[in-house]
Amino acid sequence: MFVRRLTTIAAGAAAAVLLTSTAASAHFCYFSNPNPNGDAGRAGSQGFVSFGVIAAAEGFCPAGAQVLADAVGVTTSTLINAHGVMAGPTGGNKAISHLDFAALEAAIPAALAACE
């Protein structure tokens, strides 16, 4: 029991560091209200990855990924620009948003619990 709890805590700490450290270089931007045709094109590109794929790459199960997505106000299918920075929202442009890493970090314990 203690080893499993320690493993869960270590995994959560590693995920928090990894998810927040990569944010400094990419900001993890996404389109707030995407055009379906635009999303279809972005889905086939190398620059965009769905939130669910990113969460799975960090070791979260689908239920945990959903907890994280809910916490930051996206869906697991929201396409995230994980390779660069998009402009906005400046001058009233609300089309581009950035993941809320404070909310994401706060949701990690619940996401890990959902994966147990």
Side-chain angles (χ1 to χ4, degrees):
M1 180 75 173
F2 176 73
V3 173
R4 184 174 182 192
R5 183 168 177 82
L6 186 59
T7 302
T8 301
I9 290 169
V17 168
L18 202 58
L19 286 170
T20 57
S21 66
T22 54
S25 63
H27 297 286
F28 284 85
C29 310
Y30 63 96
F31 288 95
S32 304
N33 190 15
N35 175 310
N37 292 331
D39 257 1
R42 285 186 285 278
S45 76
Q46 294 181 2
F48 288 84
V49 181
S50 74
F51 185 88
V53 168
I54 294 170
E58 298 303 329
F60 290 96
C61 66
Q66 186 63 55
V67 169
L68 295 175
D70 290 343
V72 296
V74 298
T75 67
T76 55
S77 62
T78 298
L79 295 174
I80 308 297
N81 183 349
H83 298 290
V85 178
M86 299 185 309
T90 59
N93 178 4
K94 303 295 184 208
I96 298 171
S97 296
H98 305 279
L99 290 179
D100 179 352
F101 282 93
L104 183 69
E105 188 174 349
I108 287 174
L112 289 171
C115 292
E116 290 184 353

